Amino acid sequence: MSYVAKQLALLCAKQLSKKLDPSIVNAAKRCLIDWFAATIAGSKEKQAVALERTLSDELGTGSSWTMSGHRAPMRSAAFINGLASHVVEFDDIYAPGTFHPGSATIAAALSAATGLKRSGYELIRGVVAGYEVSNRVARALGTQHYKKWHTTGTAGTIGAASAVSKIFNLKDNQFAHALAISTTMAAGLQNAFRGVSEIKPLHAGNAADAGFVASGLARNGLQAAEDMFEAATGLGNVMSSDVDWVKAIGSENEFTILRTTIKNHGCCGHIFASLDGLLTLQREHKFQASDVSEICIGGYSATIDVTGNYICHDASSAKFCLPFVLASGLIHGSIRLDAYSQSRLSDPTVLDLMQKVEMFIDDEVDSLFPAQRSAKVWVKLKKGISLYRYQPDRVGDPDLPLSDGALNQKFMELTSHVLGADVSKRLLLKLWKIDELLSLDEISECLIGD
């Protein structure tokens, strides 16, 4: 086998050498709509505002734009939008890679496509290139990588480089060097979202920025060692172990974008199966939170390692606190944008119910991870009744997908408070037809206020 970077570049060349199948285009449009929803909502949050203030001297001019409505240079737009996309925890997932592919990939692709005046279809091709490379890299790095590294920051950098390289129309050799360069720019520590911390979204922003730069360097003739993925001191061996690159790359006939999870809850995805199972039991047996004496969750390792804590001091920590999310979801019916208001965070009924939640790693459930994200849920009611449900999939997973209607509803919910309902509806209609747009100015006019 030749160098991994070259193999990944050739994979994209083969996959995108002809017109994309309508199913692939539709999957990419769903990912774009979902990304816009999460990013527009996130653009007004503390982390995104802080980054815009940090880069304020770069805003107001440029060929691209941010979701908050500022013109910006391509690189700055990629950085800001990438971070904003990951703030409210509604961004998509590629489960086999324990990875959020859209955040950095679409942020970088959109900034390049707008800056270079590409069409909507060319943007979609870039998005597909980013997903197909980064999903495979994330899948290869696996759970060993995820123990210490945040895959959205690492594989996300490579996905951003792939997307931008396709939009830059780099030839195979330059494309391969862009991917190789991006490996040494990839970062993101797990500790950024353990406990009280507000910096996790920085991983997605940095990945979009670094991937954009890596592709630009390759475009301008810079070369990297060709074995940056597979060398003894390369990505796979430094950040993981026993990486099977041949298996991970697979066939050009496989489009991993078709296996994207669209989030239905605004929290860490490792909580989803438990929350879905709990809410299903509540609907089926019609009990109230006040009826519950005990909740027990049998989860997979990442569920317990990442979210098995009782820390919910602020929105950032609460999104990674399984007891809080379960208690709040059971009491209030959902985990959406309002789940992390101060009144919800300090709700005494939620805090009391949290203490009734117990968690453990279930060997059967854990053996299915990361290919399947399931949970076992037990609920004991005060009347002595015991309920049980095995939740094999999460709502939004490929095998239990959100409908287009549910995706539209999510989009309107996340964007209307920022753009207003009329503008949100107009933007949504344009995004569903983005593959037909000759200019992305039709998208930006819904966002830019200057």
Side-chain angles (χ1 to χ4, degrees), residues 24-40 65 67 85 92 102 105-107 109-111 113 119-128 131 257 260 262 407 411 415 427-428 430-435 440 443:
I24 308 301
V25 174
N26 187 66
K29 287 196 289 188
R30 282 172 55 89
C31 291
L32 277 162
I33 290 167
D34 193 57
W35 181 89
F36 268 83
T39 309
I40 289 169
W65 30 270
M67 292 299 109
S85 71
D92 63 19
T105 292
I106 295 178
L110 182 65
S111 69
S119 69
Y121 184 72
E122 288 174 296
L123 170 61
I124 283 179
R125 285 167 57 84
V127 168
V128 172
Y131 274 67
I257 196 170
T260 303
I262 302 293
L407 176 57
F411 181 90
T415 64
L427 176 57
L428 180 59
K430 290 180 183 296
L431 290 171
W432 275 117
K433 297 181 178 180
I434 195 168
D435 54 317
L440 292 170
I443 302 297

Side-chain angles (χ1 to χ4, degrees), residues 195-226:
V196 180
S197 175
E198 297 177 327
I199 63 172
K200 179 176 181 267
L202 182 62
H203 294 168
N206 182 67
D209 175 47
F212 182 92
V213 171
S215 184
L217 293 173
R219 187 189 191 194
N220 288 290
L222 199 67
Q223 297 187 352
E226 294 180 301

Side-chain angles (χ1 to χ4, degrees), residues 34-48 82-91 100 103 200-201 263 265-268 272 315-316 319-320 335-340 410 414 417-418:
D34 193 57
W35 181 89
F36 268 83
T39 309
I40 289 169
S43 70
K44 301 302 182 183
E45 295 294 319
K46 178 180 181 180
Q47 294 92 329
L83 179 144
S85 71
H86 200 48
V87 176
V88 296
E89 291 292 336
F90 266 111
D91 45 334
H100 298 280
S103 288
K200 179 176 181 267
K263 278 189 170 187
H265 309 296
C267 61
C268 176
F272 285 11
S316 296
K319 292 171 185 176
F320 292 84
I335 298 295
R336 309 299 276 188
L337 289 178
D338 60 352
Y340 307 103
K410 174 183 175 180
L414 295 185
H417 75 288
V418 177

